Every structure is written in C-alpha cells, then in structure tokens.
Amino acid sequence: MWRSLLKQASNTHKSKFVPESCTSSLSSSSSTGFCQTSAFINKFRPSKAINHGFSGCPILGFRENYVFPSQKDCLCRFGFSHSGNPLFFSGKFWNFKGYASAAEAIVSNEDDLSGSEEINELVEAMIKEERKESFSKQPKIMVGGMGLAKYNTLKRRQIKIETEAWEEAAKEYQELIADMCEQKLAPNLPYVKSLFLGWFEPLRDSIAAEQEVCKGNFKISHAAYFNELSADMMAVVTMHKLMGLLMTNTAGTGGIRVVQAACQIGEAIENEARIQKFLEKTKKKSTTDKKSATESEPETTEQGKLAKNEEKLRKKVTQLMKKQKVHQVREIVKGRDTSKPWGQEAHVKVGCRLIQLLMENAYIQPPVDQIGDGPPDIRPAFVHALKNVIKDGNRGSRRYGVIECDPLVRKGLEKTAKHMVIPYMPMLVPPQNWTGYDQGAYLFLPSYVMRTHGAKQQREAVKRTPRKQLEPVFEALDTLGNTKWRINRRILGVVDRLWANGGRLADLVDREDVPLPEEPDTEDETEIRKWKWKVKAVKKENNERHSQRCDVELKLAVARKMKDEVGFYYPHNLDFRGRAYPMHPYLNHLGSDLCRGVLEFAEGRPLGKSGLRWLKIHLANLYAGGVDKLSYEGRVEFTESHLDDIFDSADRPLEGKRWWLSAEDPFQCLAACINLSEALRSCTPEATISHMPVHQDGSCNGLQHYAALGRDKLGAAAVNLVAGDKPADVYSGIAARVLDIMKRDAQEDPATNPNALHARLLINQVDRKLVKQTVMTSVYGVTYVGARDQIKRRLKERGAIADDTQLFVASCYAARTTLTALGEMFQAARSIMGWLGECAKVIASENQPVRWVTPLGLPVVQPYRQLGRHLIKTSLQVLTLQRETDKVMVKRQRTAFPPNFVHSLDGSHMMMTAVACKKAGLNFAGVHDSYWTHACDVDEMNRILREKFVELYEAPILENLLESFQKAFPSLNFPPLPERGDFDLREVLESPYFFN
C-alpha cells in the first residue's frame, strides 16, 4: 500500500529539494525520524505546489518547508548553484543519485530494494543527521581561551619551535650551501649570517672527523659524549650559542670567559641530544621486531615477553605523540631514560673542544672596499687569551681564559639578533601546569620550577616537598603563565624608526661609538698618562654601548618574531626565595621601558567609567617627574591639562612636539597616550576597548612588609599603610630628617665638632634623590660602606665637590646621617632586621644554612657556602670549576637572611593576589611589588591585594619562624622576638595609596 502511495507522490510535478539549516529539519522528528504529530500514512501524501515550482512530497518527518541538511552541518553534500535563490541547488541527497524527488528516487530503485529496506535506510540516515545535529548543539570545546582546532595548530607549532629550532637552522645552512654550489653564486645574506654560512661546513666536517676519532676511544676526555648529537646540529649550536653569549655579555669587556662559554655550550648540546633521543624513541617504529614477531613461534620466554612489552610501549608512545599528549610521553620516557645527567665536568670538556674546533675553522676577511691593494687579510674570527683581573681593593689578581672575537665580528653582532636561535621563546599556547620540580612550563625544553644555580640542598628540599604542599605555589605560577600577551605594533613601529635613526632618544643607547681621543704630540708623561686614562674610559664606554646595543637588538628580534601572533604566553618559575620570573630572558614585562612599552594584554576590555579614570592616573604615573607623588585627583588633573600634548604624541609621535619623550617611561607613556586619545575621541569613551596593563606599585614595599611585621605605626604612616589625602613619600621624609640633623650640626663649632664643616658643605645638596637608593636598599641590609658609595656616586654626578678627599669624607658623614634617620623613622624595621640577622648567625655558627618555609609552603634554603676549586684539564686550557663545599659562609648567611626573608614574603603576597585575581576573572601580571591588570579592573585588584596583605600578616609569621628554628635546632638558644607596636592591620584596607 505504501509503495503505491510513493508512486502516486512521484507522479506529481518534479522539482528540486530546498536545502536549509538542519537545525529545524529535525526539530519535529522523534528519535526514529518520524513526525510526532502526524500519522505515518500522511507523511506520504502529495503536497501543494509552491511558488518555485516545487510540489514534491514531504517524507519521513520533513515538514512542508522541505528542510534538508546543509553542506557545512551534515553528512550529505550539497552545492548551491544559484546564490540568489536558496531553493535551487545541485548535488545529491543521500543515495538518490540526483533524482528530482525522494519519491522518484525510491520508485527508480524499487527493483533493488524492498520497501522496508528503503524505509530503514532513510531512517538510519536521518538518525545519523539527528545525532550530528545534537552534537553540533554541544558547547564548543575551548582550550586556553581558544577553539580546540586552533589550539592544536598552535601546539604543533610550539612543539616544532621547541624541538626543531637548531635542526631548522642546520637545514637552512645546508640548503644555502647547495644553492651556492648549484648557481655558483654567493647568496645576498646579512653579514653575520654569511659568516655562519662560511663557518658551518668546515666546522661540521671537523666535528664529524672528531666524532670518528672518539668512537671507541674513551681515553679522550670528551669521547663519551661527543657522538650524542649529529655534527651539523653541534655546529649550529656551537656557533649560535657562542655568538649569543658574546651578545649578552654585560661586563663590557668584549669577550666571554671560557668556563662560562664551555659550560653553556656543553649544556645546550646535552639538552638538544636528549630532545632528539626522545623524539627518535617515540617516532621510530621497530620494523625488525614486527618481522620477527610474525615469523617466529609464539613467545614463551621472559625475553619474548619483554620484547612484546617494548613493542607495546613504542606503539603507545607513538600514539600519544600523535595525540600531542606531551605530559604522558615525558613521564614514559623519563621512566625509561636510564642515562645520567652529564654534569658540569662533561659540559666544559665538550664545550671546550667545540670552541677549539670553531676557532680552528672560523676565519674572517674585511670587506673588499677595506682591503686595498695588499694581499687579503684573512684572520681568525675568535682568539683565546688569558687575562689578569685585579680584585676590588686588593693587590691580588685572578687569571682566567677568555674567548674574544675580532672587531669586525663584534661590530656585526649588533645586527645579528634576528638570525640567532633563541631557544626559550614565549609560548604560543598556555604553558603546561606545574606538577613537580621539573614538570611543567615548556612542552619539551628542560623546565625547572626553581632556579637553584647548582645549590644542591635547595634543589633537594623542593623535590622532597609533597606536591599538595606546593600546590598554592604551582597554581600561582600557572596563573602568571596563563596571562596572554601580544605586541603593541604601533609602539614597535616607533621604536624601529628611532633605532634605525641611530637611537639616542627615549633611553635608547647611541648606535655609534665614542671616537677615541687622539694621542697627544708630547713627551710629557703626565699628559700621556691622562690620554691613556681617557682612552681606557672611552673603550669602557664603547664596550658598554656595544652590550646595550646587542641587548636592544635581542629584544627587538623577539618582538618582531612575535608581532604577527594573536597572542603568546610567558611560563614562570621561581628564584630560591620564592619570587616569580618569566623564563624567557629578553622581551618580558620585568624588563626595561622598551619591553613594557611594546607589550600589552592580548585580551581587550572596555574601559568603563572607572577604567577611564585609572588610565589618566596611569599616564601621569608614567610621566612621573614628581607628578606621581600627587593625589589621584591631582594626577587626573595633570593628564587633563595636557590633552593637546597627549593627542599630538598619539598622532605624530616623531613629527610632532614629542611631549612623550620627556616622560620617565617614554614608550609606556606613548602607549598610554595612544590608548587615551582613542578613548577620548570616541563617541562613547567608556566603551573603548583597552589592552593596556595599568600598574599599582607598592610604596617602598620592603619597608611596608617590615612595618606590618612590627605593627609599627610610625613606619606604617611613612609607607602608606595608613590612609592619607595624598601619598606619603618615604624618601622625602628621610631627606627632611637628614636635613634637620645637618642643620643642627652646621650650627656647631668646627673646632669641637668636625661634622660641622661637612654639614655646611652638604646642606644644599640634600634631597630625596640623594638618599633614595640608600633608603631602598636599607631593606636589603645595606651596610655603611654601601651607603657611603651610593651617596658618593650621587654627589659626584652633580659635581658639587671637586676635591676627591673632601668628597669621600663628606660621603661618609652623609651616609652615617642617612642611616641614623632611617633608624629613627623605622625603629621596628631595624629591630626585626637585627633579630633575623642574630638568628641566622646562631644557625650558621653551627655550620648549617638558614632554612624556612614561606607562607605558601615553599621551602627555602640559603645557598651561601664556601666554594672549593676543582681543576679540569680540557683541550683548550685547564679550567677551574667552583663547587660547593660543606662549610657555610657565616657572615653571608647572616647579612642575606633579612632581605631574603622579606623577599619571600613579598613573593607570597604577589602569588596570593594572582590566584585571587584569577578566581575573580581578572587578567593579572606581576613584577615583584608592581601588580598589573586592565584599567577597568584596577578597583577590584586594589581590593584583593589589600585583603591578601592583611590575610598574610594576620598569621603569626615571626612566631612560626622562631618555632621552626627551635624545632630544627632544639639545643640552640635564639634571641627573643622583638617588641612590636599596636598598628591595626585593617587600616590597610582603607588606605588608597598603599599600592598606587
């Protein structure tokens, strides 16, 4: 019966199906695909023709709108042939082979299918569509704030960056060499890259020859490690690593110490060898095992079972790699990797041999226009030399080896950064969550949660700590690492233009060297001596400029590489005190104004009324010059009174009045000018999207922590723990006290009080700048000698006292006076510093390092031990490696404990704030005592950071510390806790300038 109905339906006017969204196609269908409201027979009743000539039959649960799945959403394939009319399409509907209607298709196929089979086939197809529809309605899977497909694409790129950077560089050199041979032409390459290309082949061949010599010949000290990596990869790592070290050497000496270069090159070779071995193990399938498994009889022995298990493990690892389950892969490989770490001795032996091979194969020739008529001047690019370095204040000196590069190479280094392989780049996907000492952050590159710098006890302390105890620290590091950044292209464009024009502006270093003074035409020894000193000073200045230029180039190279990315991330880890740092070393938000200016949050948020106000305050803070000491209203007023300058800076940063260049932080100020201009010119300023991080900085944060520890009312008021109409300036406060003391001394008789003359000499020199550095470093236990040297430098800059002897004596007096004023204003802080130092002395006198646990559960062990010397004979020279001994440095343990303890507290406060901000939905970045978020979220962050500060210091921190000391050393006597004041910590919650 139903077959005849289908035939009847097929006799109606034939027309095309109407494809629409499959969303409505199944809305009235049951799970079997039939309409819930109509009788089965009615589904085959012929329908009325519609305007487009369609009078087909609605079948199997389709309403008369004839909705069928579209190409994008469903399994069937449709192709619209008439974009203007959705009712016309070409294609096929399931298996209907292009027939005009479903009925006609069924009639045409009645020889092939029984009626029930046809119905079942259609029902099954509809069920598939329904399932797909229900799947499409599920929420989109998001990872790291992006769709799964995009995340996987970026993750693949990230894995490639981490694992193939050196390999890609090696391939590039090989391809360039092949092109040169084929075309018989030298490629038009940047100068230093052309040097790399010229050195690569001979260096690679020399390394390959050395590898052959090392095979089986374990008498050679480096033989056991020299074949762990291919020759071309070793060549690239050696060249790039040595050039990178020469670029980043901040000593301004124009060279790099052999021990430092050898250690870092050897370590880089080990890391790359481990990655390559890792990838080989996981990607390689053992075909021989498969063959033997099929040919041999069933395995019964233990060996056979082991082989099967190995094969299963290989398959599992390969599958995990395909699925990008990096963490599981690392765990499996780590469990299977029986190779021990090379160690520092192996690093220097491998590194020295590679440096020696590079020196033997790397030559340089001046450009053609500099050669003249003589023979070509071909000389080594690198030389090994021994230098004597005189220790400060001592007659003794130390002799050590350095690698120095030719001046031509050195000059080219400044333009090399863009061609360097930088291994720890910012990540394209969120870093892996930290789960252990060496588990987290980068996907493949070695990552450690703490920078221990070889301190074994600290490393072991972290490894032994239960994971549950460290979870708050891990969560904070994950929060900081998951903040997404991007490059501010407009600021980068301005930086590029300034740098191309020679630097010099906006705190950029001059790209030109200072010319050397001409030798005087005289035999006067005094004049010649003066000239030599001038030459030495100019060379020192030029070396420093060279280092700064290389630093700028590296920062810009990273910015240019990342500028086209939608966003990127900075994995974070800790120093031994518990302060968080980005693992990428060059372009990060802890860096200079240049770094901070070109970085912004990848996520933008509307300013809102509060955000617009905070953006104005932030601009005033960046301009500084005393403006940042005004009240918030004063800062807003300053910004509003300079709107013309701000608009001009935003519109014409280099062609206009350049008002932004007079700011203390010029590039950040320019970024704020651009953002504020965009907002104020908008018809709805508060709706303007802002990507700019707005900072809230602590007021002499170390003293804030001491004031809270000591409940010190006077100290708390001086550092803004108490509410005020405008921010208290602790530096001005100390300067005022110093001036009062000096005025009093100046009135004394010089015959009875020798300080009277010094006071009269200095009375017009006292200001906040003179004492600022000493006040800042007082938290870090600055000594009298340190304070004297700081003040002496400030006075020398001003040229106020010409005579060196008089300058020295005046500096001594000013240092004593400043420390006295500090002691008076921060009496509680000084007593706590003294107590901490005495406790450390008691512990260190027992030849034990000072240990404590931060409020977040991080164990800290002070690493200061006496260092022993260990001589290692390498192919280049005999090197002296420093190694920890069992004896602690008592004085260093004592003097370093107070600042280290306070740093562990400010690190805890920052991490507590970071986690709380994440839970509140805020983007957060931190630079020790400077907290950043979007302008619209500053009020919320301010509330959170104050609450967390109070929460931190409501705990009995000093009592817990003393208890831990007494528990660890029950036989020792510790001094009693210092007396504390009655300052109410809750006042911090109402203090607007606590962080501002």
Side-chain angles (χ1 to χ4, degrees), residues 254-266:
I256 186 80
R257 290 178 63 178
V258 170
V259 67
Q260 183 187 352
C263 275
Q264 294 212 27
I265 289 171

Side-chain angles (χ1 to χ4, degrees), residues 798-834:
R798 300 176 184 187
I801 304 170
D803 184 72
D804 285 346
T805 306
Q806 206 173 18
L807 175 66
F808 178 80
V809 176
S811 301
C812 292
Y813 167 68
R816 282 196 302 272
T817 309
T818 304
L819 292 174
T820 301
L822 267 168
E824 290 173 1
M825 185 176 280
F826 295 99
Q827 197 169 354
R830 303 298 286 183
S831 66
I832 292 171
M833 279 186 220

Side-chain angles (χ1 to χ4, degrees), residues 613-614 616-618 620-621 627-640 694-697 699 720 724-727 938-939 942 945-946 990-996:
R613 173 176 174 267
W614 276 114
K616 292 174 182 177
I617 292 168
H618 182 55
N621 288 341
V627 178
D628 50 331
K629 305 297 178 290
L630 300 173
S631 67
Y632 288 138
E633 290 70 26
R635 289 179 235 182
V636 170
E637 191 179 318
F638 168 84
T639 299
E640 289 177 345
V694 172
H695 314 169
Q696 295 289 282
D697 298 350
S699 306
N720 293 305
D725 294 333
K726 64 178 185 177
V938 171
D939 287 329
N942 270 327
L945 70 87
R946 284 160 175 76
E990 307 302 324
S991 172
Y993 300 109
F994 167 56
F995 269 58
N996 72 95

Side-chain angles (χ1 to χ4, degrees), residues 405-586:
C405 60
D406 186 273
L408 283 172
V409 177
R410 190 167 167 275
K411 190 71 181 169
L413 275 173
E414 296 168 15
K415 300 167 186 173
T416 304
K418 66 184 80 172
H419 311 299
M420 300 296 292
V421 175
I422 302 172
Y424 285 83
M425 286 288 284
M427 293 183 70
L428 301 178
V429 293
Q432 292 192 109
N433 287 344
W434 285 104
T435 56
Y437 173 74
D438 56 355
Q439 295 165 355
Y442 285 93
L443 305 181
F444 282 87
L445 290 171
S447 304
Y448 304 98
V449 78
M450 184 176 281
R451 307 171 183 200
T452 59
H453 300 294
K456 187 178 177 183
Q457 284 192 311
Q458 177 66 74
R459 184 171 64 247
E460 293 304 316
V462 176
K463 284 183 174 180
R464 283 197 307 268
T465 306
R467 179 176 164 181
K468 190 169 180 61
Q469 182 180 326
L470 290 174
E471 274 179 2
V473 175
F474 290 161
E475 186 181 5
L477 290 174
D478 296 339
T479 299
L480 295 169
N482 277 285
T483 299
K484 194 173 183 179
W485 299 86
R486 74 176 190 182
I487 298 297
N488 185 329
R489 294 191 194 182
R490 286 187 66 179
I491 301 300
L492 180 59
V494 172
V495 176
D496 279 336
R497 286 176 63 191
L498 286 175
W499 191 237
N501 288 324
R504 296 183 296 278
L505 295 171
D507 297 332
L508 290 174
V509 64
D510 194 329
R511 296 190 73 175
E512 295 297 324
D513 278 350
V514 179
L516 290 171
E518 290 185 13
E519 186 174 357
D521 186 14
T522 178
E523 293 182 2
D524 186 348
E525 285 188 12
T526 309
E527 288 296 314
I528 291 172
R529 198 179 300 117
K530 281 182 182 178
W531 169 75
K532 284 182 178 178
W533 276 108
K534 283 180 182 176
V535 169
K536 189 177 179 182
V538 168
K539 283 184 175 179
K540 185 170 183 269
E541 169 69 17
N542 287 340
N543 280 332
E544 287 171 359
R545 286 191 181 188
H546 166 72
S547 296
Q548 290 172 28
R549 286 194 288 263
C550 288
D551 181 58
V552 172
E553 282 290 351
L554 281 165
K555 287 176 168 64
L556 291 179
V558 176
R560 289 164 188 151
K561 283 179 182 178
M562 305 307 294
K563 73 175 182 179
D564 294 324
E565 303 295 345
V566 175
F568 49 86
Y569 305 84
Y570 288 109
H572 280 62
N573 63 2
L574 305 165
D575 67 5
F576 79 92
R577 303 163 301 185
R579 276 186 152 190
Y581 295 83
M583 293 173 71
H584 170 74
Y586 305 123

